[in-house]
Amino acid sequence: MHISPQRYLRCVESLIQCNAEEMKPSKAVIVPGNGAGSVEHCNWYGWAKKQIDKIAGMSCLLRNMPDPVTARESIWLPFMEKELQCDEKTIIIGHSSGAAAAMRYAEVHKVYAIVLVGAYTSDLGDENEKESGYFSRPWQWDRIRSNCGHIVQFGSMDDPFLPWSEQQQVTESLQAQLYEYTDRGHFQNTQFPELVRVVREMAESG
């Protein structure tokens, strides 16, 4: 069977386009901090979901989490897998306890990217944090890096809850792209345009 050069080129271009689409993320999942209550009305979560939903080819999931106060790893990670369906085309946006959940999830699951907001590495001497389970063992930094296509981190030096040294440890251990601030505290504003910009760039560049 003879295939004309023009038809062959069209087939190649179509294949390249399909592969490019397969490499792009299709959704973002916002994993909130613990104690967030109704997440749609907490911090920047609801605002960011609406903005990400406007990005072509993207949708954003934001759900009230089970066990919202203690945020146990044994409850949150299965919820992220089965209910939120975080997979290789998902950008996980984790804030505070949600950042710890995102990192532990990425130790054992491949995801498109993790975006960490207010990330930390220890229970900080807090009993509730200790009970969550995220800090009961060493972090598997190599596995997180190998399971994520992109790792972005937002951190502020004036965070009243998290030592800057722990935020830096996350950056260095994950070789994350760090957006460093001096005046954003624990990122509890009602809007977060820089985060939406990062998600848009990932969605558009693939």
Side-chain angles (χ1 to χ4, degrees):
M1 181 177 67
H2 176 71
I3 300 177
S4 68
Q6 293 84 359
R7 185 177 179 186
Y8 174 77
L9 284 173
R10 285 197 298 271
C11 290
V12 170
E13 289 170 355
S14 177
L15 183 61
I16 291 172
Q17 184 176 359
C18 287
N19 287 339
E21 289 301 319
E22 287 177 4
M23 292 170 61
K24 288 186 176 183
S26 61
K27 76 170 184 243
V29 170
I30 298 174
V31 184
N34 65 355
S38 176
V39 292
E40 286 277 356
H41 306 288
C42 186
N43 299 324
W44 42 266
Y45 307 147
W47 179 88
K49 172 183 163 40
K50 291 177 183 177
Q51 301 306 310
I52 294 170
D53 278 336
K54 296 176 184 177
I55 300 172
M58 288 290 292
S59 63
C60 184
L61 288 180
L62 172 62
R63 298 268 297 276
N64 288 330
M65 300 294 286
D67 190 36
V69 175
T70 306
R72 290 175 181 84
E73 177 185 3
S74 60
I75 296 175
W76 276 31
L77 265 58
F79 186 81
M80 291 167 65
E81 179 181 15
K82 296 172 184 175
E83 299 295 326
L84 302 178
Q85 298 185 345
C86 298
D87 58 20
E88 293 181 66
K89 299 194 78 174
T90 301
I91 299 171
I92 301 178
I93 302 166
H95 177 222
S96 195
S97 295
M103 292 190 292
R104 286 299 185 195
Y105 190 87
E107 287 182 343
V108 292
H109 299 87
K110 285 190 176 296
V111 297
Y112 186 85
I114 54 175
V115 179
L116 308 172
V117 183
Y120 53 114
T121 60
S122 78
D123 62 27
L124 304 168
D126 182 271
E127 283 301 316
N128 193 63
E129 294 287 344
K130 183 177 181 180
E131 192 176 345
S132 72
Y134 298 112
F135 312 103
S136 62
R137 60 203 184 278
W139 293 93
Q140 300 182 60
W141 303 116
D142 291 344
R143 295 190 66 176
I144 298 172
R145 287 199 307 271
S146 67
N147 281 335
C148 298
H150 306 269
I151 301 175
V152 176
Q153 181 183 356
F154 289 88
S156 189
M157 297 180 73
D158 68 339
D159 193 312
F161 307 117
L162 309 179
W164 182 244
S165 59
E166 291 208 8
Q167 298 182 69
Q168 283 183 307
Q169 184 183 357
V170 173
T171 305
E172 294 165 3
S173 300
L174 293 180
Q175 300 169 17
Q177 178 183 353
L178 174 64
Y179 290 83
E180 177 182 325
Y181 298 88
T182 59
D183 59 353
R184 298 294 285 274
H186 199 51
F187 295 91
Q188 293 173 302
N189 305 60
T190 56
Q191 298 185 5
F192 200 165
E194 301 95 332
L195 180 142
V196 174
R197 189 178 307 120
V198 164
V199 174
R200 180 178 291 110
E201 289 172 355
M202 289 185 189
E204 291 176 351
S205 63

